[in-house]
Structure formats: structure tokens, C-alpha cells
Amino acid sequence: MEYNPGWNSSSVNLLHVRAVGPEDSLHYVWSSIGAPSVLLVATQSPSSALRVNWTQLLSPNPAGAIWIEPPDSVVYSTAVVFTKLFEFSEAKPLGELFYPTYDLSEFSWDSLNHTLNHTALTAELRGVPATDPGGAFSNGSLAFRVTAYEGSGRAGPLPSLLHTADSSQLEFVLAGVAPRGNGSRFLLQLATVEPAGAARRLRALSSIDDEYTPSIFQVTAYEGSGRAGPLPSLLHTADSSQLDIRCRAGGLRQANGSLPVPAVLRAYFGDTLGSSCTVSALNVSFGGEEGQVYQEKRYLSWSVLLGFGEPPQDTFSPLVISITAVALGTPLAVLLLGSCLVLLAQRRRYSEYEPIN
């Protein structure tokens, strides 16, 4: 993990996470220069490196300021941008009432360097609106928590998403922010950037009941693939029926030219991003019954897994398999043992006479 590689100032945030394999490497570039975003690049070289021209990146024309060396090692590039946070309430009988939008590109973000943990491979990007006339963020903040992984496993906090060494987890946290209405709900808008012609789909899966997830929950997966074939990008969202605040992912819609593009993405994809790439928008909404849950707790979190390769499949854990085996095996063993005893008892003959030869 590198913070602002080649730049000594902490006035901006750029976090480079590099995962190296025997014959390839993956690059994750998290940034708050503009709206919070992450650039994902897969290469066929274990020695590929990120290069940043900081003077150009921070200029009005950042195109070409970020690249991977060697350039011909890149096999797939994609990006995710978190653009806006909406707050709304379902006012009856008028329907949904939306309050002024929080534009995440206009937030003031704390330095990632203060929360960077090279041992745990974690970092937290925390911010508040640059201008907050209503004071909703006076005692709260919005944060993106990043976690990289060195191997396969599960995240600690619920919903304990499966992960591999080819993925990183992002947790969106809204804490202490005062709602502007009774029963407010929130909606996070994000955009995905894929190469033109890349296949992409959004599908919902139901996870099994396990000790890792106290109830069955929905997982929404966004998957894209280009000429790299086996290297799709993926986005996982978890919605647990055991949790109070539930999330819903809307459908994908074309968004070329309708959303602002952060400087980091323009720096990598160039000024022709709108024509050379496909930009899709996706809305994720949060809220419990009638929106009262956030009103009471002033806290919500949402887990997202981003990475390369096939999405990790949820299976029954060894503990659940053992419990199931004991629960089903014990009655069967008792039944077999009882049957054997009955058969042995029937074959025994009791008599007080001696046999006659």
C-alpha cells in the first residue's frame, strides 16, 4: 500500500494498493480527488508499476497523468465512482420527498495517511460537506473504509462477505448525520466505467444460512468482462434480513456524459472516456420500515467487494457440516444399534431343559 506515491503533500488523497502474483499483478487506485473513486487495473506482468505525473494530475487537464508501466501488460481496466448521496422521505400522500443532494465531489476529506495501517492493510477516507448550512454533519460524517487482503477468507463484521486475494472490500458508513426529515432514507449513487463493448450484468443471489450470516441475505453482483475474459470486475452488495437497515440496488442505466468524471479517471482513461468507455449508473437505497431505523440509531453501513476473477461462492462451512452430520447421524446410529439389539434378542433361546442326545 502506497499513499500519494511520488508526492509529499497530504492535501489530496491517492492510495495505491498493489497485489503481486507469480505471473501478473493487480492495481487498485483509491482517490478523493473529485468524487471518491477506485481505478482497478489487471496486468500480465508481476513487475508492472503505477506512474503518476502529479503536476499534470492536479492541473485543469489531467489526461495522461496516470499510467501503468509497461503499458502493453495491461489486460483490463475498470473503475467505480461514488458520485452523490440522496436523502428522501416517503411523505404521505405526496409520495417521495427529496432534500437537497449531497454531491460527494464537493466534500472535504481528511487525510488517508492518518488512518493507513500497513499491517492490517486498511485505510479510511472520512469527509463532510465543504459547506453545510443546515448543520446536518456537525456531529457526523460519511466514510469509506478500504480493506485489502493477502488471501481468501471472510470479513469480520457482518455480513462477513467472502473474499479472495484478488479483491478488496469497501465499507460505506454514514454515522451521526442528522436526518432532515422524519423517516428519512438515503440513496447512494455510483457509476461504473468499463471498456467499450465490455459485457456486463447485474444479478441477485440468495446466500445460504450459516454461522457467518445469522440469516439468509441477498447479494447483488455487478460483473463486467472484456477481452481479458476470465478477469471480470465485480461489485457485491449485501442485504441481510437480520439487519435493521436494508439496502436495495436499482437497475443499471447508461450514464455517458451525464455524470462528472473525477480527475483520476480522466488521468488514466483520457479525455475521450465518454466515447471509449461505457459509463453506467446504479442507485443503492437504504432504509428500514418507514425509515425509522436510521432516525433512532443514526448509523448505517454497506459492504462492497471489488476485485477480479470469478465471484467467491458461498458454501456450507465445516462447522455447519459437522453439526448437520451429528444431528442426522446420531438418530441413525441409535436406530441401527436398536435394530441390532432386537435381532440379537430374538435369536437367543431360553430353556430350563438340557438338550437330549
Side-chain angles (χ1 to χ4, degrees):
M1 302 181 76
E2 300 175 284
Y3 175 70
N4 288 352
W7 185 255
N8 294 325
S9 174
S10 60
S11 58
V12 295
N13 288 310
L14 189 146
L15 177 66
H16 175 220
V17 181
R18 181 168 173 256
V20 182
E23 299 179 354
D24 54 12
S25 58
L26 308 176
H27 299 265
Y28 300 84
V29 183
W30 304 86
S31 172
S32 63
I33 304 175
S37 60
V38 55
L39 170 67
L40 300 89
V41 183
T43 72
Q44 290 180 325
S45 169
S47 59
S48 61
L50 175 74
R51 297 289 183 255
V52 181
N53 183 330
W54 283 96
T55 303
Q56 186 175 354
L57 176 61
L58 301 178
S59 70
N61 184 23
I66 294 179
W67 69 97
I68 299 291
E69 287 186 351
D72 58 359
S73 68
V74 176
V75 294
Y76 195 74
S77 303
T78 184
V80 178
V81 187
F82 300 91
T83 55
K84 296 178 180 180
L85 179 69
F86 298 92
E87 181 182 351
F88 66 97
S89 62
E90 295 181 343
K92 298 178 181 180
L94 301 178
E96 294 181 343
L97 172 64
F98 279 81
Y99 299 96
T101 304
Y102 293 116
D103 190 336
L104 301 188
S105 64
E106 299 177 356
F107 269 47
S108 176
W109 301 97
D110 296 340
S111 174
L112 268 173
N113 199 32
H114 299 325
T115 61
L116 186 58
N117 187 325
H118 289 276
T119 302
L121 300 178
T122 59
E124 181 174 307
L125 182 66
R126 185 182 297 272
V128 297
T131 57
D132 186 20
F137 279 79
S138 58
N139 295 315
S141 64
L142 182 152
F144 293 93
R145 297 173 181 169
V146 179
T147 304
Y149 300 105
E150 293 182 320
S152 300
R154 288 183 180 270
L158 287 173
S160 302
L161 288 179
L162 277 172
H163 61 76
T164 67
D166 298 334
S167 61
S168 295
Q169 180 167 300
L170 179 71
E171 185 181 5
F172 167 75
V173 178
L174 189 69
V177 178
R180 290 174 287 183
N182 294 327
S184 285
R185 300 189 183 189
F186 293 91
L187 185 149
L188 179 65
Q189 182 187 73
L190 56 94
T192 63
V193 179
E194 301 281 354
R200 58 195 182 280
R201 61 175 178 170
L202 190 68
R203 60 193 180 107
L205 307 171
S206 293
S207 175
I208 60 174
D209 195 1
D210 207 338
E211 83 268 18
Y212 300 108
T213 53
S215 65
I216 297 176
F217 66 94
Q218 289 291 121
V219 172
T220 302
Y222 169 85
E223 302 172 30
S225 61
R227 64 185 179 93
L231 289 174
S233 64
L234 60 99
L235 172 69
H236 273 186
T237 72
D239 172 25
S240 172
S241 57
Q242 183 266 345
L243 303 176
D244 290 331
I245 296 183
R246 310 179 71 179
C247 70
R248 294 288 184 271
L252 284 172
R253 61 180 177 85
Q254 197 81 2
N256 286 57
S258 63
L259 296 175
V261 180
V264 169
L265 302 193
R266 291 177 55 202
Y268 181 80
F269 291 103
D271 289 329
T272 60
L273 184 149
S275 57
S276 62
C277 299
T278 300
V279 182
S280 302
L282 174 69
N283 294 332
V284 181
S285 60
F286 311 93
E289 188 68 25
E290 298 182 357
Q292 295 298 321
V293 177
Y294 183 82
Q295 187 82 17
E296 298 171 359
K297 300 184 178 180
R298 302 277 179 101
Y299 184 91
L300 68 84
S301 66
W302 174 58
S303 300
V304 186
L305 187 71
L306 303 103
F308 294 92
E310 292 297 327
Q313 298 295 319
D314 225 335
T315 58
F316 286 106
S317 69
L319 177 60
V320 170
I321 294 175
S322 301
I323 294 175
T324 304
V326 172
L328 296 178
T330 301
L332 182 60
V334 171
L335 179 62
L336 291 175
L337 180 60
S339 300
C340 293
L341 293 175
V342 170
L343 290 175
L344 289 174
Q346 289 179 347
R347 294 181 62 181
R348 293 181 60 183
R349 297 178 178 178
Y350 297 96
S351 176
E352 56 185 18
Y353 297 100
E354 293 293 331
I356 299 176
N357 189 348

